[in-house]
Amino acid sequence: MSPPDQALIDAVVKEDSHRAFAELVKRYQSPLRYSLRQLTGWNEALADDLAQETFIKAHSALSSFQGKAKFSSWLYRIAYNLMLSHFRVARNRELTGGLTGREEQSLWIDNGQEVAASDESLQLHRDLAQAMNHLSDNQRMALHLSLHRECTQQEISDIMSIPLGTVKTLITRGKARLRERLEDWKSGDES
Amino acid sequence: MTRETDIDSLFAQLRSTEPCIQDQGFSTRVLAELEQKAGLAFFKDALITMLFTLIGCLLSYAFFPVAELVELLPNSIHISPMSLLTLGGAVALACSAAYWTLDTDRI
């Protein structure tokens, strides 16, 4: 039987156990990398870089993890802050003209060729990630945590450090915007 | 894209078909990065310590009357058996304290 998260966290904090941390990474890498792909318009390279940075930050801050929230929620909080910070820098570079067109494309959307070459069963996940890319960062995160990860609104509020009322608004508006986007897509398919 | 535009059922479909992303060396890369950062942190700490020690030595040399202090040192020291015993006791006590601290991981 695999040890609980808290036992692994204690081993990392008290004994600096790399094996315990490796176990935590293995346990959470798939859902975290998937979530980050959904939040970055299925940009695999960017999502993996952010996930790697998330685990490194988590390792250095693990002693401050108090176990009040789920470990996964704590990881999502770190990932969300890193993602916001990444997009802020990317936007600033874009505004100051420091980003070439190709760099910009690689930051925001996935390469069409990669999508075409990939497994067809992933197509729905990729399509939704790209549709979600038209929402704001906050709406995307709130919607993903609520509808995909099935977090409660209180958990989302804690992860994103925003008031409960704002979470509700983000989810409602995000859903409406995503619905519009999908309707456009649908009518595009039909025509 | 599926024709289904009901957001909740679309996400339910996504949840049930969420792919399990294979590790493919991801954990190894994270741990390698951690080790690299730990090595750099150790090197940085050592460099900062050495730098400040050097600055401290230079400041001490510039501001302390070293020559006068050296002149204050006695030319000869007379050690009585009692003071030797006291010194030995103090050294033994310091060693025991150091051992206890290291053994109980208090640092």
Side-chain angles (χ1 to χ4, degrees):
Chain A
M1 197 177 134
S2 55
D5 289 351
Q6 196 54 52
L8 293 171
I9 292 164
D10 288 345
V12 177
V13 174
K14 290 174 185 162
E15 298 156 28
D16 195 22
S17 166
H18 276 215
R19 189 185 282 186
F21 192 69
E23 179 60 38
L24 281 171
V25 175
K26 278 181 188 150
R27 204 171 277 185
Y28 288 101
Q29 62 86 21
S30 175
L32 185 68
R33 286 163 78 194
Y34 173 82
S35 289
L36 284 165
R37 284 177 189 193
Q38 280 292 349
L39 297 166
T40 56
W42 210 269
N43 184 332
E44 293 181 16
L46 174 60
D48 281 6
D49 281 352
L50 288 171
Q52 186 170 327
E53 197 59 33
T54 301
F55 282 114
I56 288 164
K57 281 228 169 199
H59 183 268
S60 60
L62 210 52
S63 55
S64 68
F65 176 69
Q66 294 167 334
K68 286 178 186 167
K70 284 187 283 185
F71 182 66
S72 58
S73 302
W74 188 70
L75 272 183
Y76 279 119
R77 189 183 177 137
I78 298 174
Y80 171 66
N81 288 327
L82 280 171
M83 188 190 77
L84 282 189
S85 153
H86 171 85
F87 284 149
R88 204 174 297 129
V89 171
R91 277 189 199 106
N92 286 342
R93 284 179 68 191
E94 194 183 352
L95 285 174
T96 53
L99 213 64
T100 65
R102 188 166 171 78
E103 277 176 328
E104 192 187 333
Q105 187 188 20
S106 73
L107 280 169
W108 295 104
I109 55 166
D110 206 349
N111 181 312
Q113 199 179 356
E114 276 178 37
V115 173
S118 69
D119 186 353
E120 208 167 297
S121 65
L122 281 176
Q123 197 57 46
L124 178 66
H125 295 267
R126 289 166 186 262
D127 284 347
L128 188 90
Q130 299 208 349
M132 295 261 282
N133 226 11
H134 292 87
L135 310 182
S136 71
D137 298 340
N138 282 347
Q139 284 175 343
R140 214 158 55 233
M141 184 70 177
L143 220 57
H144 176 76
L145 289 174
S146 166
L147 299 177
H148 196 99
R149 293 284 169 233
E150 296 182 295
C151 294
T152 63
Q153 292 186 344
Q154 186 56 56
E155 281 174 324
I156 299 170
S157 160
D158 292 339
I159 290 171
M160 297 175 70
S161 303
I162 53 174
L164 208 56
T166 314
V167 173
K168 288 176 188 169
T169 314
L170 284 174
I171 293 172
T172 313
R173 290 189 184 163
K175 266 186 179 180
R177 207 163 162 197
L178 187 61
R179 195 171 285 121
E180 276 171 27
R181 189 79 207 161
L182 297 177
E183 285 296 336
D184 289 348
W185 213 322
K186 191 178 168 186
S187 53
D189 277 357
E190 280 168 353
S191 62
Chain B
M1 188 71 190
T2 174
R3 304 265 163 167
E4 180 62 81
T5 51
D6 177 61
I7 305 291
D8 293 305
S9 39
L10 175 63
F11 273 92
Q13 191 184 342
L14 285 172
R15 276 199 305 277
S16 60
T17 58
E18 179 178 329
C20 176
I21 300 173
Q22 297 302 308
D23 189 274
Q24 288 177 328
F26 177 81
S27 316
T28 316
R29 283 198 298 280
V30 171
L31 291 178
E33 180 85 3
L34 271 178
E35 274 171 25
Q36 198 186 355
K37 288 210 169 190
L40 272 175
F42 176 77
F43 181 70
K44 212 164 81 178
D45 281 357
L47 203 72
I48 289 170
T49 310
M50 279 198 290
L51 189 76
F52 277 94
T53 308
L54 191 71
I55 292 171
C57 289
L58 288 172
L59 283 174
S60 310
Y61 186 76
F63 290 102
F64 277 74
V66 183
E68 287 171 33
L69 286 172
V70 168
E71 273 177 25
L72 285 175
L73 288 173
N75 290 327
S76 61
I77 303 169
H78 175 72
I79 301 174
S80 68
M82 196 56 200
S83 56
L84 198 66
L85 213 64
T86 313
L87 189 71
V91 169
L93 243 150
C95 288
S96 310
Y99 177 76
W100 178 79
T101 313
L102 287 173
D103 196 45
T104 51
D105 230 5
R106 299 287 167 114
I107 292 175

